[in-house]
Structures are given as C-alpha cells and as structure tokens.
Amino acid sequence: MPRLMVTLDESVASTSTPVRARRPVRFNPAYLFVAPALVLAVVFILWPIVQSGWMSLHDWTIGADSHAWLGFGNFVELWHDDRFWNALRVTLVYTVFVVAGQILVGLALAQWLRRTTWYTMLLRSAFFFPTIASLAVTGIVWKFLLDPQIGLVNGWLGNLGLEGTAWLQDTALALPALIAVGIWKNFGFSMIVLLAAVQGVRADLVEAAKLDGANAVQRFRHVTLPAVRPALLFTTVIGTINALQLFDLNYVMTGGGPVFHTESIVMYLYQRGFVDFRLGYASAIAWVLFLLILVVSVVQLRTLRYRDDD
C-alpha cells in the first residue's frame, strides 16, 4: 500500500508539472518575401533621412573638399532668413485655402451625387479626372489658359465684356490663381472619399430625423456630418500633407514669382539645394518642413479624431 501511494504521488507530480522540450529555432521563410521591401525602405527612405539630418548639421556644399561642422548653425541662419519666412507664409496660405476649398467642394458634390444613376456616375468621373492628371501637365495647361495674350480665360472674359488681366504676373492675383488651380486639382479626391462616407450614412437615422421634423439642412448637420467625420479627418490630413509639399504647380506655372509671391518651402529648398548647391542648408529646410507636417498632422488628429462618445 505505501508503495502504491508513492507511485500515485509520483504520477500526479509528473502530470502536474510537465517538462517542456525546447523547440529548435527555425528560420521563417516568410522573411525572404519581406526582405526586398525592407532593403528598399532602408536604402531609399531610412538612410536618406539619416543622411539629411547629418548634412543639416554641416556646411555641406557640392564641390567642397570638406564639410565644416556647424551644429545648429544652419537652423539659426534659417531663423533669420526673410525669404524662408516668406516661403512659409505662402505655403501656409496655400494650404489653408486649398484644403478648405477642396473639402467644401468635395463634400457638396458628394451630397449632390450620392444617388447612383447614369448621369451621376458620368459627373463623378468628370469631376475626378483632374485628380489623376499629372501635376506638371496640370500646371502647363493652366499656364496657357491664364496667359494674358492667348489664354482662354481672358478670351471668355472678353466675350462677357470684362477686361482680362495678367493672372500669373500680378503680385496680387498670382497666389489666388494658384490656389484656385490647387482646389480644381484636388477636390475630386475629397469628393470620392466623402461620397463613400455619405452613401454609408444609415437610412433609418435619416428617416427618423425626417419624422422628427428636421429639414434638409438640419439632417445634414446633425446626421450626415457626424457620420462622415472620420472621412473628413482623413481627407483633411492627407490634403494638408500634400499641400504643404507644394512644388510642381508653382514651379511650372509661376516659377515662384512674381517677386517670390508664390515661392513655397519646397521650391525654396530646391533653390538652395540644387541651384545654390548648399545641401546642408537645404537639409535644414527639409527637417523644418518635416517637423511642421508632423506637428500639423498631430494637431489635426487630436482635434478632429472620431470618438464614440461625441
């Protein structure tokens, strides 16, 4: 009997605390499929970021035998650079008006074209077409359209009895003209995203609002607008990031003129880096732009983020 008890105790102990054998470490072949993308990301994304940060701390000039260490000297010079502050002002003005314009126009069109018929599908395609067009091609086309001599815009104004003007050569009209083209170029993207959100609004909520006596404006404000808030956040953040990197349109249409009235941060970066060959200074501008985009995106996400308790 004691022998049997000992045997039972040993069997219970062996079953309660099993000994786990260590598995041999095996190489996962899935890493082979990820490796090319990781190599490309490191070579073309991560390394250039690190390199630009290192260059921003030096007097890095193309053709120079040595690159003197400046620390934050480039950033201090940037702080006192009036042309940089002008480029920042132009970029922020362009961003505010273009993002607001493309979202307002896109939301209005999404509300108008929410029903699927043959003519709404045709209009959606027509309104979305500028989005897929190249920025350089868009700039060239609008440069000819706004030309004071042969432009169709001044021709149409003349037919209406109005006097045309030099849109891109006037210091007061160049930036507004650029903003108008930017809205025309980007509102189709906002329209498509917001259209999907508008079509996803629950029909029972709209019907309930109708039964409560809400008119069209009240239904849009209290039912549709809260429902499309996540899509509004997405289009705002993406549109802001794209607008802050303005380069193609103003480079092709105005070249930054007249008298730097349309020169953006990226254009000024290009001027310093690839015309004046001051890569260290241009890298400092790039890092300021990166921090600006980061801060603005975080503020937008925290301000406009969707919460269920809202």
Side-chain angles (χ1 to χ4, degrees):
M1 187 67 179
R3 178 61 181 172
L4 179 60
M5 293 294 294
V6 171
T7 304
L8 291 175
D9 291 341
E10 290 177 350
S11 62
V12 171
S14 63
T15 56
S16 60
T17 58
V19 178
R20 297 181 179 179
R22 294 184 177 180
R23 295 181 179 179
V25 179
R26 295 180 180 180
F27 176 75
N28 191 344
Y31 292 124
L32 294 177
F33 296 95
V34 183
L38 290 177
V39 171
L40 291 176
V42 170
V43 173
F44 294 104
I45 298 178
L46 182 60
W47 172 246
I49 292 175
V50 175
Q51 180 69 11
S52 67
W54 179 254
M55 292 168 65
S56 68
L57 303 176
H58 292 77
D59 183 14
W60 203 291
T61 305
I62 296 179
D65 296 332
S66 61
H67 310 292
W69 169 266
L70 297 179
F72 292 99
N74 285 323
F75 295 93
V76 173
E77 182 182 352
L78 198 62
W79 179 263
H80 299 283
D81 190 346
D82 293 335
R83 189 171 168 184
F84 165 76
W85 290 108
N86 173 74
L88 177 61
R89 179 190 63 81
V90 170
T91 303
L92 292 179
V93 171
Y94 175 87
T95 300
V96 170
F97 283 97
V98 168
V99 173
Q102 73 181 53
I103 290 178
L104 290 176
V105 175
L107 183 58
L109 291 176
Q111 185 70 10
W112 176 40
L113 303 174
R114 66 185 184 277
R115 302 182 186 277
T116 302
T117 60
W118 68 268
Y119 67 88
T120 57
M121 291 189 292
L122 180 63
L123 290 175
R124 292 174 195 172
S125 301
F127 290 141
F128 185 71
F129 176 76
T131 304
I132 62 176
S134 168
L135 281 168
V137 172
T138 301
I140 294 173
V141 170
W142 276 101
K143 184 176 181 179
F144 279 102
L145 289 175
L146 297 174
D147 188 273
Q149 302 297 328
I150 61 173
L152 291 179
V153 174
N154 282 350
W156 294 331
L157 292 177
N159 294 333
L160 297 175
L162 301 175
E163 184 179 357
T165 183
W167 298 94
L168 301 180
Q169 290 75 32
D170 192 324
T171 55
L173 297 176
L175 184 56
L178 194 66
I179 290 172
V181 175
I183 295 174
W184 177 85
K185 176 73 173 67
N186 296 297
F187 77 85
F189 171 77
S190 299
M191 179 197 68
I192 290 298
V193 175
L194 295 174
L195 177 64
V198 168
Q199 290 179 334
V201 177
R202 292 170 51 186
D204 57 333
L205 296 179
V206 178
E207 292 298 328
K210 287 182 180 179
L211 293 177
D212 289 339
N215 56 33
V217 176
Q218 292 172 331
R219 292 196 302 270
F220 175 79
R221 178 182 177 184
H222 298 288
V223 178
T224 302
L225 203 57
V228 302
R229 187 174 175 180
L232 284 173
L233 172 61
F234 174 77
T235 53
T236 300
V237 173
I238 297 300
T240 302
I241 292 174
N242 291 332
L244 288 173
Q245 300 177 76
L246 169 67
F247 176 76
D248 305 71
L249 280 180
N250 55 341
Y251 182 80
V252 174
M253 293 178 62
T254 65
V259 199
F260 310 117
H261 276 70
T262 59
E263 184 178 57
S264 63
I265 292 182
V266 178
M267 178 170 284
Y268 185 50
L269 183 156
Y270 170 82
Q271 176 71 30
R272 289 302 190 197
F274 299 99
V275 178
D276 300 338
F277 301 122
R278 296 188 59 189
L279 294 184
Y281 196 70
S283 298
I285 298 175
W287 273 92
V288 171
L289 177 61
F290 166 74
L291 294 176
L292 175 63
I293 293 175
L294 179 63
V295 170
V296 172
S297 300
V298 170
V299 170
Q300 289 177 336
L301 289 172
R302 293 182 63 87
T303 304
L304 302 175
R305 64 182 176 181
Y306 176 78
R307 296 186 296 270
D308 293 334
D309 57 348
D310 286 351

